[in-house]
Amino acid sequence: MLSELQTAQKVVGVKQSRKAIRDGLAQKVVLAKDAEVRVIRPIRALCEERSVPVEEVETMAELGKAAEIDIGAAVVTVLK
């Protein structure tokens, strides 16, 4: 699943992910389990509302690395 993020068209971060989900562009969302609950709770709720599948990884560092950025990421959204 994480290797898929390297080649997939994606957006990284809460704001860009929220916009993609709202606009109907999200295929699935990947959340880091160690991200702050106040950050990921609204994204998870929006995904449920819009029927977007959610997957989880253990750490923000792991998710950031998979998304090919130099810092951790709480949310990565794979686009359609």
Side-chain angles (χ1 to χ4, degrees):
M1 186 260 309
L2 288 178
S3 60
E4 169 191 351
L5 293 179
Q6 294 173 353
T7 57
Q9 208 176 10
K10 62 191 169 289
V11 293
V12 179
V14 174
K15 288 180 183 177
Q16 291 184 44
S17 292
R18 186 182 308 123
K19 185 177 184 330
I21 297 163
R22 267 198 234 131
D23 293 348
L25 303 174
Q27 178 179 326
K28 73 176 173 181
V29 172
V30 184
L31 301 174
K33 289 182 183 178
D34 67 342
E36 290 186 39
V37 173
R38 68 177 179 80
V39 172
I40 61 172
R41 183 182 292 139
I43 295 294
R44 188 182 299 277
L46 187 58
C47 287
E48 287 177 20
E49 181 183 307
R50 302 291 173 116
S51 300
V52 176
V54 174
E55 295 182 12
E56 292 184 330
V57 297
E58 291 300 317
T59 67
M60 290 175 60
E62 182 181 12
L63 187 53
K65 184 177 179 182
E68 299 182 314
I69 60 172
D70 293 331
I71 58 173
V75 183
V76 175
T77 299
V78 177
L79 302 175
K80 292 180 180 175

